[in-house]
């Protein structure tokens, strides 16, 4: 395990419906010493965010049951979860989508076509350890 | 030794290969990377070895890469290929094509995977460029196949924009025509995200800098309208139209800005070089096609104008010939009618007994002569040989006076109804011209009622309000109206739109000149009036002539009756007239009034008689057109001998043209004239001398 001690014990909720990405993300982040909770759709994501109170939510936008944007809105509307930083993972590079997510309170907006797993991990790490 | 030798060989092969070769362990971590890997991706060995390979792959591509990795490990396949993007140290992406195969450890250790990758970034870029060039050529090919030479400009634009919309499905393509520094959007196709803009106007007068760019033939490329400080007021327009990014290509032909071709996006974007090239190429083609189409239209216009003007020339020549003939006949008729009417009057003066049978017969002759004179006058008006003056007229009187003539013109199958407003106001117009208006309208109405019908002529007052007046092209105010209505065949809108064009006629060839309504239009315009037309096929036609109302009384027509008292005189009058009947009549009239007469049949004879005469001549009465010297020339000779002589020219209307500036002071008496008018005229001319 190459994880930084700063990260050990920190818990990240990964809400991603693509099982491959979910597993790859989970493995990659776990290597950094993080504890990963996974959810495969928006509804599950919302439930786990409330139940588990993670330190960070990694959120795919295109998902069944509850679109990522709705989940984001729900998280930010609920005082219990509003403080959890949410990093959005999106397939869309449209400015409008990015603006919308940031306006809803997302802590960051990453486009899947333009980021590697390593860079995703770096972002997460910065968010959890940053000022 | 053999093995070692062989391993050195293999190592050399691997390390000198341009392909990137890597060995991954079962967890996907780099165990070995060839020098090509560090060379292409830019990482040091230490940055890769021990790290998971998929960490460097684009997240988007993991879904296709990872299953292949798992398939190799599980033994489902021994060889797999993939294309994906991998992050370079410098932050860029490297597109690679990889072949992976499983390497089993015969000793029972963990299996490993050999990945052989090739950098295809440049090849991909070249492929993309090729694809774009191919698409561009296909677009230009489609355009040139559909756009035919000489096609109307609108069709050209429509075709080109249709192809453009297919080529650029995510943008809106539009075309605007240049119009005095403004651009009027004429066509727009494409993305429904943008509002309709056809017919909208971009006024580059607000932003001369942009107009300058376009006039110089340069393209205007806007990546983000909200952050572009060149745009000025144009930015506001773009915001209204929800356009964030725009490419504007000027369409120029012959150094002139013909219009613009535009590509618009609702979102900011950096326009790719190939998009600019495509737009520029299509723009050049479009400009050329529009210029060609305009040239073609211009050629057609010139040809058609030439053919029309040739037709008009033929018509005008025919009309002039007819006019000359009519004028000539009328001239001779007027001489004859002067004699007929004049002698009738002299006879009537000799026959005071009202119940005399002979007197009644002579009266008939005179009345027939009057009617003939009236017809001759109409004929001359028709051939436009009259120079007339506007005066205050009563429309009702004009219509009333034409009653007889109109009934004769329209024939027995058409019922004429005249309905005059009793309180009708006056107007200022040339009565002869107004008569012509009535006659032309009546003739048209008759021709529209081939099987007979009803012709109504009405007069009334009208006040035109602003909207009515503007619909008629007149100024608001008080008018008197002459309405001519028939219940004949009527006209469709197409015909109505052309009826006032000179030489436009719906009548058979040689049946109409096509000038009737054109003349009506001209006369009404000249009289500051307006014309309203209502008509529909099968429902008849109504013309309304609006003439400005004036508040002046009608001047009484010059009295034809014998107004001057009979006075004994002793003045000498020299007469030159080649028509003996007129000469004789003048002698009969003037001798009875006591004048001394010297008669001659032409100018030469008149000069001879004058030379032989000792006394002074008080008045020269001369025909204008005579064989030999004409009237004005004779008058000049007589004036040389006797400068104070009065001159009275007699003329049929056709002679008026001869009277120019050089004719000296003179009075004028039109044929046919009555004895009373002749006497009065002579008296007026000689009286000042007598008073003096």
């Amino acid at each position: 395990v190459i994880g930084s001690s700063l990260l050990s014990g920190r818990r990240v909720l990964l809400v991603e419906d693509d099982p491959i990405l979910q597993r790859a993300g989970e493995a990659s982040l776990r290597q950094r010493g993080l504890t990963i909770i996974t959810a495969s759709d928006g509804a599950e994501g919302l439930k786990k965010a409330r139940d588990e109170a993670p330190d960070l939510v990694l959120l795919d936008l295109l998902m069944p049951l509850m679109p990522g944007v709705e989940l984001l809105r729900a998280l930010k509307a609920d005082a219990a979860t509003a403080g959890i930083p949410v990093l959005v993972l999106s397939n869309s590079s449209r400015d409008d989508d990015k603006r919308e997510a940031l306006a809803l309170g997302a802590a960051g907006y990453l486009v899947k076509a333009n980021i590697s797993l390593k860079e995703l991990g770096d972002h997460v790490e910065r968010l959890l350890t940053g000022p | 030794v053999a093995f070692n030798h062989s391993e050195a060989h293999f190592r050399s092969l691997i390390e000198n290969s341009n392909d990137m070769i890597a060995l991954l362990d079962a967890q996907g971590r780099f165990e070995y990377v060839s020098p090509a890997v560090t060379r292409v991706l830019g990482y040091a060995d230490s940055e890769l070895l021990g790290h998971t390979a998929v960490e460097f792959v684009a997240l988007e591509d993991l879904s296709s890469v990872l299953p292949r990795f798992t398939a190799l490990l599980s033994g489902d396949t021994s060889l797999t290929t993939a294309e994906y993007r991998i992050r370079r140290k410098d932050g860029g992406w490297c597109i690679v094509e990889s072949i992976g195969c499983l390497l089993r450890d015969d000793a029972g250790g963990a299996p490993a995977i050999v990945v052989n990758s090739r950098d295809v970034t440049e090849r991909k870029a070249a492929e993309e460029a090729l694809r774009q060039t191919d698409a561009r050529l296909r677009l230009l090919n489609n355009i040139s196949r559909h756009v035919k030479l000489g096609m109307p400009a609108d069709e050209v634009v429509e075709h080109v924009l249709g192809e453009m919309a297919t080529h650029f499905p995510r943008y809106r393509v539009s075309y605007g025509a240049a119009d005095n520094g403004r651009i009027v959007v004429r066509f727009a196709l494409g993305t429904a995200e943008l509002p309709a803009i056809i017919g909208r106007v971009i006024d580059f007068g607000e932003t001369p800098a942009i107009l300058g760019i376009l006039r110089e033939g340069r393209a205007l490329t806007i990546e983000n309208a909200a952050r572009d400080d060149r745009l000025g007021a144009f930015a506001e327009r773009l915001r209204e139209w929800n356009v964030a990014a725009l490419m504007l290509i000027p369409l120029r032909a012959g150094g002139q800005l013909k219009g613009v071709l535009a590509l618009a996006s609702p979102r900011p974007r950096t326009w790719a070089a190939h998009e600019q090239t495509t737009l520029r190429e299509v723009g050049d083609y479009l400009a050329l096609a529009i210029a060609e189409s305009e040239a073609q239209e211009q050629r057609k216009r010139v040809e058609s104008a030439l053919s029309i003007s040739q037709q008009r020339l033929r018509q005008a020549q025919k009309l002039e010939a007819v006019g000359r003939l009519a004028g000539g006949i009328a001239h001779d008729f007027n001489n004859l009618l002067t004699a007929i009417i004049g002698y009738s009057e002299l006879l009537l003066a000799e026959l005071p007994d009202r119940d005399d049978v002979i007197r009644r017969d002579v009266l008939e002759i005179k009345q027939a002569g009057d009617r003939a004179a009236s017809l001759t006058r109409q004929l001359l008006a028709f051939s436009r040989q009259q120079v007339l003056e506007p005066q205050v007229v009563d429309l009702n009187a004009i219509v009333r006076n034409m009653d007889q003539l109109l009934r004769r013109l329209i024939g027995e199958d058409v019922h004429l109804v005249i309905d005059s407003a009793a309180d009708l106001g006056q107007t200022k117009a040339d009565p002869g011209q107004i008569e012509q208006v009535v006659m032309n309208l009546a003739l048209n109405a008759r021709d529209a009622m081939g099987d007979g019908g009803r012709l109504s002529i009405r007069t009334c007052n009208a006040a035109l309000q602003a909207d009515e007046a503007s619909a008629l092209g007149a100024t608001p105010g008080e008018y008197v109206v002459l309405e001519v209505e028939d219940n004949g065949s009527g006209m469709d809108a197409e015909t109505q739109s052309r009826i006032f064009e000179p030489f436009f006629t719906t009548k058979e060839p040689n049946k109409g000149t096509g000038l009737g309504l054109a003349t009506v239009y001209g006369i009404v315009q000249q009289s500051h009036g307006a014309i309203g037309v209502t008509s529909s096929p099968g429902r008849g036609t109504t013309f309304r002539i609006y003439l400005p109302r004036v508040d002046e009384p009608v001047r009484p027509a010059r009295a034809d009756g014998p107004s001057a008292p009979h006075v004994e005189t002793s003045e000498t009058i020299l007469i030159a007239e080649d028509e003996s009947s007129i000469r004789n009549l003048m002698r009969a009239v003037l001798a009875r009034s006591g004048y001394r007469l010297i008669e001659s049949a032409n100018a030469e004879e008149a000069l001879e008689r004058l030379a032989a005469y000792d006394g002074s001549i008080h008045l020269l009465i001369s025909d204008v057109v005579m064989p030999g010297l004409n009237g004005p020339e004779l008058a000049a000779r007589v004036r040389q001998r006797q400068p104070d002589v009065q001159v009275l020219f007699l003329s049929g209307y056709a002679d008026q043209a001869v009277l120019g500036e050089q004719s000296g002071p003179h009075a004028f008496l039109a044929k046919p004239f009555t004895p009373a008018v002749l006497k009065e005229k002579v008296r007026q001319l000689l009286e000042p001398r007598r008073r003096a």
Side-chain angles (χ1 to χ4, degrees), chain A residues 18 20 24 28 31 112-119, chain B residues 52 55 57-60 62-63 66-67 85 87 93:
Chain A
D18 179 343
I20 295 165
S28 171
Q31 282 193 326
K112 287 179 183 174
N114 207 24
I115 190 168
S116 65
L117 267 182
K118 179 180 181 306
E119 286 153 352
Chain B
T52 312
E55 292 269 322
V57 173
L59 223 53
E60 196 181 47
L62 285 181
S63 305
L66 281 173
R85 292 179 308 148
R87 185 67 91 191
W93 290 107

PDB file of all heavy atoms in Angstrom, chain A residues 18 20 24 28 31 112-119, chain B residues 52 55 57-60 62-63 66-67 85 87 93:
ATOM      1  N   ASP A  18     -20.941   2.523 -14.061  1.00  0.00           N
ATOM      2  CA  ASP A  18     -20.131   1.632 -14.905  1.00  0.00           C
ATOM      3  C   ASP A  18     -19.274   0.760 -13.992  1.00  0.00           C
ATOM      4  O   ASP A  18     -18.381   1.249 -13.294  1.00  0.00           O
ATOM      5  CB  ASP A  18     -19.251   2.489 -15.825  1.00  0.00           C
ATOM      6  CG  ASP A  18     -18.345   1.650 -16.726  1.00  0.00           C
ATOM      7  OD1 ASP A  18     -18.144   0.446 -16.429  1.00  0.00           O
ATOM      8  OD2 ASP A  18     -17.841   2.200 -17.721  1.00  0.00           O
ATOM      9  N   ILE A  20     -16.888  -1.298 -14.456  1.00  0.00           N
ATOM     10  CA  ILE A  20     -15.444  -1.331 -14.707  1.00  0.00           C
ATOM     11  C   ILE A  20     -14.771  -0.103 -14.109  1.00  0.00           C
ATOM     12  O   ILE A  20     -13.759  -0.202 -13.404  1.00  0.00           O
ATOM     13  CB  ILE A  20     -15.178  -1.414 -16.220  1.00  0.00           C
ATOM     14  CG1 ILE A  20     -15.704  -2.764 -16.762  1.00  0.00           C
ATOM     15  CG2 ILE A  20     -13.689  -1.284 -16.516  1.00  0.00           C
ATOM     16  CD1 ILE A  20     -15.812  -2.807 -18.258  1.00  0.00           C
ATOM     17  N   ALA A  24     -12.128   0.021 -11.129  1.00  0.00           N
ATOM     18  CA  ALA A  24     -10.801   0.617 -11.357  1.00  0.00           C
ATOM     19  C   ALA A  24     -10.572   1.791 -10.415  1.00  0.00           C
ATOM     20  O   ALA A  24      -9.489   1.937  -9.822  1.00  0.00           O
ATOM     21  CB  ALA A  24     -10.697   1.078 -12.805  1.00  0.00           C
ATOM     22  N   SER A  28      -7.751   1.952  -7.549  1.00  0.00           N
ATOM     23  CA  SER A  28      -6.753   3.007  -7.644  1.00  0.00           C
ATOM     24  C   SER A  28      -6.717   3.857  -6.381  1.00  0.00           C
ATOM     25  O   SER A  28      -5.650   4.166  -5.843  1.00  0.00           O
ATOM     26  CB  SER A  28      -7.052   3.866  -8.862  1.00  0.00           C
ATOM     27  OG  SER A  28      -6.245   5.008  -8.870  1.00  0.00           O
ATOM     28  N   GLN A  31      -5.382   2.139  -3.222  1.00  0.00           N
ATOM     29  CA  GLN A  31      -3.920   2.096  -3.176  1.00  0.00           C
ATOM     30  C   GLN A  31      -3.340   3.318  -2.488  1.00  0.00           C
ATOM     31  O   GLN A  31      -2.227   3.285  -1.994  1.00  0.00           O
ATOM     32  CB  GLN A  31      -3.361   2.035  -4.594  1.00  0.00           C
ATOM     33  CG  GLN A  31      -3.447   0.655  -5.211  1.00  0.00           C
ATOM     34  CD  GLN A  31      -2.598   0.579  -6.483  1.00  0.00           C
ATOM     35  OE1 GLN A  31      -2.488   1.549  -7.208  1.00  0.00           O
ATOM     36  NE2 GLN A  31      -1.983  -0.583  -6.704  1.00  0.00           N
ATOM     37  N   LYS A 112     -14.286  12.932 -18.159  1.00  0.00           N
ATOM     38  CA  LYS A 112     -13.679  11.600 -18.245  1.00  0.00           C
ATOM     39  C   LYS A 112     -12.727  11.457 -19.433  1.00  0.00           C
ATOM     40  O   LYS A 112     -11.771  10.680 -19.382  1.00  0.00           O
ATOM     41  CB  LYS A 112     -14.766  10.530 -18.353  1.00  0.00           C
ATOM     42  CG  LYS A 112     -15.502  10.303 -17.031  1.00  0.00           C
ATOM     43  CD  LYS A 112     -16.591   9.249 -17.214  1.00  0.00           C
ATOM     44  CE  LYS A 112     -17.388   9.062 -15.914  1.00  0.00           C
ATOM     45  NZ  LYS A 112     -18.518   8.146 -16.139  1.00  0.00           N
ATOM     46  N   ALA A 113     -13.060  12.187 -20.525  1.00  0.00           N
ATOM     47  CA  ALA A 113     -12.221  12.064 -21.707  1.00  0.00           C
ATOM     48  C   ALA A 113     -10.864  12.720 -21.500  1.00  0.00           C
ATOM     49  O   ALA A 113      -9.948  12.519 -22.273  1.00  0.00           O
ATOM     50  CB  ALA A 113     -12.924  12.697 -22.903  1.00  0.00           C
ATOM     51  N   ASN A 114     -10.765  13.499 -20.434  1.00  0.00           N
ATOM     52  CA  ASN A 114      -9.590  14.343 -20.309  1.00  0.00           C
ATOM     53  C   ASN A 114      -8.828  14.121 -19.003  1.00  0.00           C
ATOM     54  O   ASN A 114      -8.138  14.998 -18.527  1.00  0.00           O
ATOM     55  CB  ASN A 114     -10.047  15.812 -20.422  1.00  0.00           C
ATOM     56  CG  ASN A 114      -8.942  16.701 -20.944  1.00  0.00           C
ATOM     57  OD1 ASN A 114      -8.028  16.213 -21.628  1.00  0.00           O
ATOM     58  ND2 ASN A 114      -9.002  17.970 -20.616  1.00  0.00           N
ATOM     59  N   ILE A 115      -8.979  12.926 -18.443  1.00  0.00           N
ATOM     60  CA  ILE A 115      -8.313  12.698 -17.152  1.00  0.00           C
ATOM     61  C   ILE A 115      -7.937  11.217 -17.012  1.00  0.00           C
ATOM     62  O   ILE A 115      -8.646  10.335 -17.514  1.00  0.00           O
ATOM     63  CB  ILE A 115      -9.236  13.152 -15.988  1.00  0.00           C
ATOM     64  CG1 ILE A 115      -8.453  13.154 -14.673  1.00  0.00           C
ATOM     65  CG2 ILE A 115     -10.478  12.281 -15.900  1.00  0.00           C
ATOM     66  CD1 ILE A 115      -9.196  13.849 -13.554  1.00  0.00           C
ATOM     67  N   SER A 116      -6.831  10.970 -16.371  1.00  0.00           N
ATOM     68  CA  SER A 116      -6.438   9.575 -16.117  1.00  0.00           C
ATOM     69  C   SER A 116      -6.773   9.235 -14.671  1.00  0.00           C
ATOM     70  O   SER A 116      -7.083  10.117 -13.869  1.00  0.00           O
ATOM     71  CB  SER A 116      -4.927   9.415 -16.357  1.00  0.00           C
ATOM     72  OG  SER A 116      -4.220  10.194 -15.406  1.00  0.00           O
ATOM     73  N   LEU A 117      -6.699   7.957 -14.372  1.00  0.00           N
ATOM     74  CA  LEU A 117      -6.978   7.506 -13.000  1.00  0.00           C
ATOM     75  C   LEU A 117      -6.041   8.186 -12.006  1.00  0.00           C
ATOM     76  O   LEU A 117      -6.440   8.583 -10.933  1.00  0.00           O
ATOM     77  CB  LEU A 117      -6.770   5.992 -12.896  1.00  0.00           C
ATOM     78  CG  LEU A 117      -7.988   5.086 -13.113  1.00  0.00           C
ATOM     79  CD1 LEU A 117      -7.555   3.631 -12.917  1.00  0.00           C
ATOM     80  CD2 LEU A 117      -9.109   5.441 -12.138  1.00  0.00           C
ATOM     81  N   LYS A 118      -4.791   8.302 -12.447  1.00  0.00           N
ATOM     82  CA  LYS A 118      -3.783   8.911 -11.575  1.00  0.00           C
ATOM     83  C   LYS A 118      -4.172  10.349 -11.239  1.00  0.00           C
ATOM     84  O   LYS A 118      -4.136  10.774 -10.089  1.00  0.00           O
ATOM     85  CB  LYS A 118      -2.414   8.879 -12.279  1.00  0.00           C
ATOM     86  CG  LYS A 118      -1.283   9.498 -11.482  1.00  0.00           C
ATOM     87  CD  LYS A 118       0.012   9.427 -12.251  1.00  0.00           C
ATOM     88  CE  LYS A 118       1.174  10.027 -11.456  1.00  0.00           C
ATOM     89  NZ  LYS A 118       0.892  11.409 -11.001  1.00  0.00           N
ATOM     90  N   GLU A 119      -4.604  11.062 -12.288  1.00  0.00           N
ATOM     91  CA  GLU A 119      -4.982  12.457 -12.074  1.00  0.00           C
ATOM     92  C   GLU A 119      -6.243  12.561 -11.208  1.00  0.00           C
ATOM     93  O   GLU A 119      -6.379  13.475 -10.400  1.00  0.00           O
ATOM     94  CB  GLU A 119      -5.208  13.165 -13.418  1.00  0.00           C
ATOM     95  CG  GLU A 119      -3.894  13.463 -14.121  1.00  0.00           C
ATOM     96  CD  GLU A 119      -4.017  13.535 -15.636  1.00  0.00           C
ATOM     97  OE1 GLU A 119      -5.094  13.205 -16.182  1.00  0.00           O
ATOM     98  OE2 GLU A 119      -3.045  13.903 -16.276  1.00  0.00           O
TER      99      GLU A 119
ATOM    100  N   THR B  52       0.773   1.169 -11.481  1.00  0.00           N
ATOM    101  CA  THR B  52      -0.226   0.466 -12.293  1.00  0.00           C
ATOM    102  C   THR B  52      -0.355   1.156 -13.639  1.00  0.00           C
ATOM    103  O   THR B  52      -0.546   2.391 -13.706  1.00  0.00           O
ATOM    104  CB  THR B  52      -1.597   0.481 -11.588  1.00  0.00           C
ATOM    105  OG1 THR B  52      -1.391   0.096 -10.216  1.00  0.00           O
ATOM    106  CG2 THR B  52      -2.567  -0.461 -12.251  1.00  0.00           C
ATOM    107  N   GLU B  55      -3.384   3.460 -14.582  1.00  0.00           N
ATOM    108  CA  GLU B  55      -3.456   4.774 -13.944  1.00  0.00           C
ATOM    109  C   GLU B  55      -3.201   5.891 -14.945  1.00  0.00           C
ATOM    110  O   GLU B  55      -3.610   7.031 -14.745  1.00  0.00           O
ATOM    111  CB  GLU B  55      -2.410   4.874 -12.823  1.00  0.00           C
ATOM    112  CG  GLU B  55      -2.679   3.988 -11.634  1.00  0.00           C
ATOM    113  CD  GLU B  55      -3.516   4.677 -10.563  1.00  0.00           C
ATOM    114  OE1 GLU B  55      -3.308   5.885 -10.337  1.00  0.00           O
ATOM    115  OE2 GLU B  55      -4.398   4.004  -9.988  1.00  0.00           O
ATOM    116  N   VAL B  57      -4.046   5.760 -18.196  1.00  0.00           N
ATOM    117  CA  VAL B  57      -4.978   5.703 -19.326  1.00  0.00           C
ATOM    118  C   VAL B  57      -6.155   6.663 -19.081  1.00  0.00           C
ATOM    119  O   VAL B  57      -6.568   6.863 -17.939  1.00  0.00           O
ATOM    120  CB  VAL B  57      -5.503   4.247 -19.506  1.00  0.00           C
ATOM    121  CG1 VAL B  57      -6.610   4.185 -20.572  1.00  0.00           C
ATOM    122  CG2 VAL B  57      -4.355   3.321 -19.868  1.00  0.00           C
ATOM    123  N   ALA B  58      -6.654   7.233 -20.165  1.00  0.00           N
ATOM    124  CA  ALA B  58      -7.813   8.133 -20.045  1.00  0.00           C
ATOM    125  C   ALA B  58      -8.983   7.368 -19.434  1.00  0.00           C
ATOM    126  O   ALA B  58      -9.277   6.245 -19.839  1.00  0.00           O
ATOM    127  CB  ALA B  58      -8.223   8.678 -21.407  1.00  0.00           C
ATOM    128  N   LEU B  59      -9.615   7.998 -18.467  1.00  0.00           N
ATOM    129  CA  LEU B  59     -10.715   7.365 -17.737  1.00  0.00           C
ATOM    130  C   LEU B  59     -11.766   6.820 -18.713  1.00  0.00           C
ATOM    131  O   LEU B  59     -12.284   5.733 -18.535  1.00  0.00           O
ATOM    132  CB  LEU B  59     -11.368   8.423 -16.829  1.00  0.00           C
ATOM    133  CG  LEU B  59     -11.729   8.000 -15.415  1.00  0.00           C
ATOM    134  CD1 LEU B  59     -10.526   7.397 -14.705  1.00  0.00           C
ATOM    135  CD2 LEU B  59     -12.248   9.209 -14.621  1.00  0.00           C
ATOM    136  N   GLU B  60     -12.004   7.604 -19.749  1.00  0.00           N
ATOM    137  CA  GLU B  60     -13.002   7.263 -20.739  1.00  0.00           C
ATOM    138  C   GLU B  60     -12.696   5.934 -21.427  1.00  0.00           C
ATOM    139  O   GLU B  60     -13.596   5.216 -21.844  1.00  0.00           O
ATOM    140  CB  GLU B  60     -13.027   8.390 -21.788  1.00  0.00           C
ATOM    141  CG  GLU B  60     -14.241   8.410 -22.671  1.00  0.00           C
ATOM    142  CD  GLU B  60     -14.106   9.562 -23.678  1.00  0.00           C
ATOM    143  OE1 GLU B  60     -13.025   9.717 -24.291  1.00  0.00           O
ATOM    144  OE2 GLU B  60     -15.083  10.310 -23.827  1.00  0.00           O
ATOM    145  N   LEU B  62     -10.991   3.369 -20.147  1.00  0.00           N
ATOM    146  CA  LEU B  62     -10.795   2.222 -19.241  1.00  0.00           C
ATOM    147  C   LEU B  62     -11.789   1.110 -19.522  1.00  0.00           C
ATOM    148  O   LEU B  62     -11.457  -0.076 -19.451  1.00  0.00           O
ATOM    149  CB  LEU B  62     -10.927   2.669 -17.775  1.00  0.00           C
ATOM    150  CG  LEU B  62      -9.717   3.450 -17.232  1.00  0.00           C
ATOM    151  CD1 LEU B  62      -9.952   3.815 -15.770  1.00  0.00           C
ATOM    152  CD2 LEU B  62      -8.450   2.616 -17.377  1.00  0.00           C
ATOM    153  N   SER B  63     -13.020   1.501 -19.865  1.00  0.00           N
ATOM    154  CA  SER B  63     -14.060   0.502 -20.071  1.00  0.00           C
ATOM    155  C   SER B  63     -13.724  -0.454 -21.205  1.00  0.00           C
ATOM    156  O   SER B  63     -14.223  -1.577 -21.233  1.00  0.00           O
ATOM    157  CB  SER B  63     -15.395   1.178 -20.376  1.00  0.00           C
ATOM    158  OG  SER B  63     -15.686   2.088 -19.352  1.00  0.00           O
ATOM    159  N   LEU B  66      -9.660  -2.293 -19.739  1.00  0.00           N
ATOM    160  CA  LEU B  66      -9.607  -3.206 -18.583  1.00  0.00           C
ATOM    161  C   LEU B  66     -10.166  -4.607 -18.860  1.00  0.00           C
ATOM    162  O   LEU B  66      -9.547  -5.594 -18.461  1.00  0.00           O
ATOM    163  CB  LEU B  66     -10.307  -2.571 -17.374  1.00  0.00           C
ATOM    164  CG  LEU B  66      -9.427  -1.531 -16.665  1.00  0.00           C
ATOM    165  CD1 LEU B  66     -10.218  -0.792 -15.582  1.00  0.00           C
ATOM    166  CD2 LEU B  66      -8.194  -2.197 -16.042  1.00  0.00           C
ATOM    167  N   PRO B  67     -11.315  -4.721 -19.516  1.00  0.00           N
ATOM    168  CA  PRO B  67     -11.815  -6.073 -19.788  1.00  0.00           C
ATOM    169  C   PRO B  67     -10.827  -6.918 -20.595  1.00  0.00           C
ATOM    170  O   PRO B  67     -10.742  -8.131 -20.405  1.00  0.00           O
ATOM    171  CB  PRO B  67     -13.087  -5.818 -20.585  1.00  0.00           C
ATOM    172  CG  PRO B  67     -13.515  -4.456 -20.205  1.00  0.00           C
ATOM    173  CD  PRO B  67     -12.238  -3.695 -19.977  1.00  0.00           C
ATOM    174  N   ARG B  85      -6.000   6.102 -25.140  1.00  0.00           N
ATOM    175  CA  ARG B  85      -5.139   7.268 -24.949  1.00  0.00           C
ATOM    176  C   ARG B  85      -4.408   7.156 -23.620  1.00  0.00           C
ATOM    177  O   ARG B  85      -4.992   6.755 -22.615  1.00  0.00           O
ATOM    178  CB  ARG B  85      -5.980   8.541 -24.999  1.00  0.00           C
ATOM    179  CG  ARG B  85      -6.538   8.800 -26.404  1.00  0.00           C
ATOM    180  CD  ARG B  85      -7.388  10.031 -26.453  1.00  0.00           C
ATOM    181  NE  ARG B  85      -8.401   9.965 -25.411  1.00  0.00           N
ATOM    182  CZ  ARG B  85      -8.873  11.041 -24.780  1.00  0.00           C
ATOM    183  NH1 ARG B  85      -8.411  12.233 -25.091  1.00  0.00           N
ATOM    184  NH2 ARG B  85      -9.798  10.907 -23.861  1.00  0.00           N
ATOM    185  N   ARG B  87      -1.594   9.138 -20.957  1.00  0.00           N
ATOM    186  CA  ARG B  87      -1.105  10.479 -20.599  1.00  0.00           C
ATOM    187  C   ARG B  87       0.411  10.549 -20.738  1.00  0.00           C
ATOM    188  O   ARG B  87       1.113   9.704 -20.232  1.00  0.00           O
ATOM    189  CB  ARG B  87      -1.506  10.807 -19.162  1.00  0.00           C
ATOM    190  CG  ARG B  87      -1.157  12.201 -18.723  1.00  0.00           C
ATOM    191  CD  ARG B  87      -1.932  13.293 -19.442  1.00  0.00           C
ATOM    192  NE  ARG B  87      -3.168  13.642 -18.749  1.00  0.00           N
ATOM    193  CZ  ARG B  87      -4.111  14.409 -19.279  1.00  0.00           C
ATOM    194  NH1 ARG B  87      -3.981  14.847 -20.521  1.00  0.00           N
ATOM    195  NH2 ARG B  87      -5.199  14.685 -18.600  1.00  0.00           N
ATOM    196  N   TRP B  93      -1.971  13.934 -24.583  1.00  0.00           N
ATOM    197  CA  TRP B  93      -2.392  12.544 -24.730  1.00  0.00           C
ATOM    198  C   TRP B  93      -1.634  11.901 -25.882  1.00  0.00           C
ATOM    199  O   TRP B  93      -1.385  12.538 -26.900  1.00  0.00           O
ATOM    200  CB  TRP B  93      -3.896  12.435 -25.033  1.00  0.00           C
ATOM    201  CG  TRP B  93      -4.791  12.809 -23.877  1.00  0.00           C
ATOM    202  CD1 TRP B  93      -5.530  13.927 -23.769  1.00  0.00           C
ATOM    203  CD2 TRP B  93      -5.033  12.035 -22.713  1.00  0.00           C
ATOM    204  NE1 TRP B  93      -6.224  13.941 -22.587  1.00  0.00           N
ATOM    205  CE2 TRP B  93      -5.938  12.767 -21.899  1.00  0.00           C
ATOM    206  CE3 TRP B  93      -4.566  10.807 -22.215  1.00  0.00           C
ATOM    207  CZ2 TRP B  93      -6.396  12.318 -20.676  1.00  0.00           C
ATOM    208  CZ3 TRP B  93      -5.036  10.359 -20.994  1.00  0.00           C
ATOM    209  CH2 TRP B  93      -5.942  11.127 -20.214  1.00  0.00           C
TER     210      TRP B  93
END
